[in-house]
Amino acid sequence: LINSFAGLRADIEGRDDFIIEASKKIRGFINVAGIESPGLSSAPAIAEMVSGILKEVVKEISPRLELNYKDDFIETLPEQPRFADYLDKTGKWQEIVEKDADYGEIICRCEKVSKGEMLRVIHQPVPARSLDAIKRRIRAGMGRCQGGFCSPKVLKILSEELKISPLKITKKGKDSEILKTKTKDMIKETGVKFKDEVRV
Ligand SMILES: Cc1cc2nc3c(=O)[nH]c(=O)nc-3n(C[C@H](O)[C@H](O)[C@H](O)COP(=O)(O)OP(=O)(O)OC[C@H]3O[C@@H](n4cnc5c(N)ncnc54)[C@H](O)[C@@H]3O)c2cc1C
């Protein structure tokens, strides 16, 4: 089963560029609209532009207000090692594995994602709690086999780390549980017998 993807593009008729400007109608409101492709790649530049506009807007509305970074503002994210980035410098990856052996266990072979990367996104401040959340953050399950091999392993890791039953792990949140029941419970409930059992 191969996924295909769809989405809406914010296209503004008769205009080839994004709208990034202070509203002429509502004071203090900044329009950031029509952000179609390559909106994602442009996001850091858009943020800088908006911050510049914001400074101008604030100067106009309340000249005495000073805009400063929060004391706990962290400009760059802490380094998040990805095995896939180290393929031509495996010696360096070895150093990471020596510090934390989980980075030496590859869970998604297609996209080369280690268990260490998985644990990191499960426990980060905005945690990944479903298979799709993990896939979107670190690409596990995004490769050629589309999660055919790694999904059961990812499910088990999620269940262990979140300390919840595997039956409660979802693909993408509410009502998308992956496992319906334990095989042994199903056999008990339905009385189904497997071929070998019948033969015995
Ligand atoms: C198929 C596809 C492929 C793309 N590929 C690329 C690419 O390779 N590179 C690239 O740079 N860009 C790409 N883009 C474009 C990029 O995804 C967009 O430019 C970018 O996501 C726009 O960001 P945004 O924050 O403006 O809007 P969005 O990311 O669309 O965010 C808007 C959010 O508002 C929410 N929302 C909508 N209405 C309401 C409401 N009434 N109340 C509350 N929330 C609401 C939506 O659910 C959504 O989460 C692609 C787009 C598509 C569709």
Side-chain angles (χ1 to χ4, degrees):
L1 184 68
I2 303 292
N3 285 329
S4 66
F5 302 94
L8 295 174
R9 289 185 199 269
D11 185 42
I12 298 172
E13 219 181 325
R15 193 183 162 110
D16 287 337
D17 203 358
F18 308 149
I19 295 176
I20 307 171
E21 60 190 23
S23 165
K24 293 176 187 82
K25 290 186 188 156
I26 304 166
R27 245 161 54 107
F29 192 90
I30 299 169
N31 284 309
V32 184
I35 312 294
E36 56 176 322
S37 292
L40 212 54
S41 316
S42 314
I46 294 176
E48 277 189 14
M49 198 169 162
V50 170
S51 125
I53 297 173
L54 188 65
K55 280 181 194 147
E56 292 304 313
V57 168
V58 167
K59 224 190 276 171
E60 221 182 283
I61 299 178
S62 45
R64 273 182 291 158
L65 186 71
E66 232 182 277
L67 289 182
N68 293 313
Y69 285 116
K70 287 180 177 174
D71 290 339
D72 58 355
F73 177 68
I74 304 169
E75 197 167 352
T76 46
L77 287 171
E79 203 204 338
Q80 307 208 329
R82 282 169 22 100
F83 179 59
D85 293 339
Y86 282 73
L87 297 181
D88 55 350
K89 39 187 174 183
T90 43
K92 285 250 168 247
W93 186 257
Q94 185 60 30
E95 288 171 21
I96 293 170
V97 174
E98 272 159 24
K99 280 190 213 141
D100 184 344
D102 285 329
Y103 282 94
E105 190 180 333
I106 301 300
I107 302 293
C108 169
R109 280 189 275 165
C110 302
E111 290 291 325
K112 302 170 189 66
V113 184
S114 67
K115 183 175 179 186
E117 290 158 74
M118 223 154 268
L119 298 185
R120 191 179 63 219
V121 297
I122 294 172
H123 295 295
Q124 70 188 10
V126 182
R129 294 182 175 276
S130 66
L131 261 71
D132 277 6
I134 290 194
K135 185 203 260 187
R136 290 193 179 117
R137 283 168 175 82
I138 50 173
R139 299 190 62 84
M142 194 78 116
R144 202 166 169 212
C145 86
Q146 292 283 294
F149 286 96
C150 70
S151 291
K153 289 184 186 170
V154 178
L155 189 144
K156 185 165 179 278
I157 292 172
L158 269 169
S159 156
E160 286 167 1
E161 295 302 312
L162 300 177
K163 300 189 176 29
I164 55 175
S165 156
L167 300 179
K168 293 224 160 76
I169 300 298
T170 65
K171 177 170 159 46
K172 51 178 180 180
K174 200 166 170 266
D175 294 335
S176 65
E177 285 76 12
I178 294 154
L179 304 174
K180 291 296 167 206
T181 182
K182 285 186 188 165
T183 315
K184 283 185 181 160
D185 290 347
M186 188 187 77
I187 294 170
K188 252 191 249 160
E189 279 163 25
T190 60
V192 166
K193 283 194 165 66
F194 287 114
K195 226 172 156 192
D196 286 351
E197 222 183 319
V198 175
R199 216 183 300 135
V200 169

